Amino acid sequence: MDRKIKIMPCLDMQNGRVVKGVHFVDIADAGDPVECAKAYCEAGADELALLDITATVEKRDTLHDVVRRVSQACSVPFTVGGGIRDVATAAAVLEAGANRISSSSAAFRKPEVIKEMIKEFGADRVVVAIDVDVNPALPSGYEVYVDGGRTATGSDAVEFAKLVYGFGAQTILPTSKAGDGAKTGYDLPVIRAIRQACPDAHVVASGGAGTMEHFYDAVQAGADILLAASVFHFKMIQIPELKKYLAAKGVNVIG
């Protein structure tokens, strides 16, 4: 396999702590973000994601002090999302030390903001995150959700991915609301659909990893970046073992 596959632990943050939920609710504490980031860097993570899960619904900016402290402790690139609604809020997070910013609700409500951010910072520093859930009434069978997965939009998730891809978005991160924290496997049809619709984009698998096989399945479906949270936080899967498993399956992993 030619594509380089990256492992990306995700630190969901609330009130400055790492937390993990199931289906975007039932939140449990999972530790200090700086300590978690350090541990993941040492374990061989290729990238990290920090997501301030309540910034958008609380109508506030993401936690810049946490971003700054993580950037000082982190030896791999990291992406920050939550509360990033325009060029100014994105710039503040990048200045605090993030390598990339991720926009979800704001990107959906005003897609032109993705064009503006790409023009300002470059396509490699902008990630479009799309929370999705199954809706058979839509052409792709998947609907966009906003506000941290709380609000249905009635819009087709794959069509939205195509729109932002047309704007120049290079990284698209669909998270399955049904899969989030459930450890039942990634939502493979949506990964396949976005890969097909956005052939040159980096597609991030997110929501549902529970076994090493699930990561391999996501690669087969077209993901290049494998994001997970609880299986890493609670040490159900160790990153070095996951990389060995994937490499043995012929996957081109880093390290």
Side-chain angles (χ1 to χ4, degrees):
M1 178 175 295
D2 293 333
R3 286 180 294 135
K4 265 286 193 211
I5 304 301
K6 296 179 179 177
I7 306 298
M8 187 183 212
C10 182
L11 310 178
D12 290 337
M13 294 187 308
Q14 187 172 326
N15 303 319
R17 296 284 294 174
V18 177
V19 296
K20 191 62 202 113
V22 179
H23 310 310
F24 299 158
V25 294
D26 298 332
I27 304 297
D29 188 276
D32 173 74
V34 176
E35 293 308 313
C36 287
K38 273 188 195 169
Y40 285 135
C41 291
E42 289 166 6
D46 302 308
E47 298 200 14
L48 291 178
L50 269 73
L51 179 60
D52 190 338
I53 61 173
T54 54
T56 296
V57 292
E58 292 172 3
K59 295 183 169 57
R60 60 170 173 77
D61 295 346
T62 198
L63 300 169
H64 297 151
D65 61 319
V66 175
V67 174
R68 200 167 286 110
R69 288 189 293 119
V70 168
S71 75
Q72 290 164 355
C74 200
S75 59
V76 300
F78 72 101
T79 300
V80 174
I84 295 171
R85 58 193 175 275
D86 50 29
V87 166
T89 49
V93 169
L94 292 169
E95 284 163 18
N99 300 91
R100 299 184 188 85
I101 55 87
S102 173
S103 184
S104 178
S105 298
F108 176 79
R109 290 189 168 112
K110 187 189 170 193
E112 297 77 22
V113 80
I114 296 302
K115 273 187 188 175
E116 293 164 10
M117 289 177 184
I118 288 172
K119 184 179 178 183
E120 184 72 20
F121 308 118
D124 60 328
R125 303 194 82 185
V126 178
V127 177
V128 179
I130 311 172
D131 291 336
V132 305
D133 206 358
V134 173
N135 183 341
L138 294 174
S140 73
Y142 288 91
E143 181 174 4
V144 178
Y145 275 67
V146 293
D147 302 328
R150 294 168 174 81
T151 308
T153 66
S155 292
D156 188 278
V158 175
E159 287 304 310
F160 178 59
K162 281 166 71 174
L163 175 69
V164 295
Y165 179 65
F167 290 166
Q170 289 182 355
T171 306
I172 299 173
L173 194 169
T175 297
S176 164
K177 185 177 177 186
D180 176 67
K183 304 185 188 70
T184 52
Y186 294 108
D187 196 324
L188 303 178
V190 78
I191 294 171
R192 286 191 198 100
I194 289 177
R195 165 55 64 214
Q196 188 170 6
C198 311
D200 297 320
H202 296 297
V203 179
V204 184
S206 172
T211 68
M212 293 195 198
E213 288 79 6
H214 293 155
F215 289 88
Y216 179 69
D217 292 343
V219 174
Q220 295 297 100
D224 331 85
I225 302 171
L226 307 175
L227 181 152
S230 51
V231 290
F232 295 144
H233 296 338
F234 303 121
K235 298 187 169 49
M236 299 166 62
I237 294 175
Q238 301 283 354
I239 293 171
E241 281 69 33
L242 174 60
K243 287 190 171 186
K244 281 180 197 166
Y245 167 82
L246 292 172
K249 289 272 200 177
V251 175
N252 188 5
V253 291
I254 296 171

